[in-house]
Amino acid sequence: MILHSFVKSDETMFESFAVYLREGAGLSDEELDLVKQVTIEKKLRKRQYLLQEGDVAHYNCFVAKGCLRLYRIGKDGSEHILRFAVENWWMSDYESYNSGDPAKGNIDAIEDSELLLIKKQDFDALTNTIAKFRLFRERLEARSYDASLKRIMSNISETAEERYVNFIKSYPQFYSRVPLHMVASFLGVSRETLSRVRLQYSTNK
């Protein structure tokens, strides 16, 4: 993972993370202090990499501000976007993160972004130390699994128009911030197909 410049989390950036953890996990101030001790601040410029293929994903990343994407490069050089992440979402190449193997994907910033990173061993230690954090992690992983399964079933059984409609309804926060060619890549359709589907959808609304 590329971390040329990083520092321990500052008060302003961490506070947004603290609000998220208070509301989502019910952590106390003392428990938040434990989290803060192992949290690293990282700022990315637009198009700057957080992770490149071949590196190991050592960190779980919380998006305090901005938008990231995880993608892989096909044998023909085309990009295949696997997921996006905006404010209050987590991001990593979890296959590499969990196994310790080199990543097959890349993560970069679609917008200038502010991130909070926790190294895997520290994240695991928080899970083992703070019961509420462990339950919170289990809920996150369950939601991530459900979303992945839903996307697989969508790609198998839905038309391009159905995938597009479900995308804009399920992820309105992405649609206004992600370029159309990236939306097309995420949906597994060509840009031309997406343009046609968007026109049909607008006409039928």
Side-chain angles (χ1 to χ4, degrees), residues 58 61 67 77 87 102 128 196 204:
H58 293 295
C61 167
C67 184
E87 290 83 5
N128 294 329
R196 175 179 54 78
N204 295 333

Side-chain angles (χ1 to χ4, degrees), residues 3 7 9 13 39-44 48-50 60-68 85-86 89 91 107 109 111-118:
L3 288 172
V7 296
S9 175
M13 191 182 297
T39 300
I40 295 169
E41 172 191 329
K42 174 70 178 175
K43 294 183 179 181
L44 291 182
Q48 185 178 0
Y49 284 104
L50 178 68
N60 203 2
C61 167
F62 176 81
V63 181
K65 181 180 179 181
C67 184
L68 307 179
V86 291
W89 285 52
M91 174 68 92
I107 299 174
E111 305 169 352
D112 290 349
S113 300
E114 297 180 357
L115 315 172
L116 294 162
L117 312 178
I118 302 178

Side-chain angles (χ1 to χ4, degrees), residues 85-187:
V86 291
E87 290 83 5
N88 292 350
W89 285 52
W90 294 85
M91 174 68 92
S92 188
D93 183 319
Y94 288 107
E95 183 178 352
S96 172
Y97 176 82
N98 289 319
S99 68
D101 294 333
K104 298 176 182 177
N106 303 274
I107 299 174
D108 66 6
I110 298 174
E111 305 169 352
D112 290 349
S113 300
E114 297 180 357
L115 315 172
L116 294 162
L117 312 178
I118 302 178
K119 191 173 289 188
K120 185 179 188 302
Q121 54 262 45
D122 292 327
F123 202 88
D124 291 343
L126 291 172
T127 299
N128 294 329
T129 303
I130 306 172
K132 286 179 286 188
F133 194 87
R134 181 178 67 253
L135 293 173
F136 181 62
R137 178 179 184 174
E138 290 172 355
R139 292 198 300 271
L140 288 175
E141 291 175 346
R143 285 203 296 266
S144 178
Y145 175 81
D146 289 345
S148 296
L149 184 60
K150 182 178 179 181
R151 186 178 177 204
I152 291 171
M153 295 306 298
S154 172
N155 288 340
I156 292 173
S157 61
E158 293 180 350
T159 65
E161 183 172 1
E162 288 171 334
R163 273 179 269 166
Y164 170 74
V165 171
N166 287 335
F167 176 80
I168 61 177
K169 288 182 177 179
S170 300
Y171 307 111
Q173 68 272 50
F174 294 155
Y175 186 72
S176 61
R177 300 168 66 175
V178 175
L180 286 179
H181 72 277
M182 293 186 186
V183 175
S185 173
F186 180 78
L187 295 178

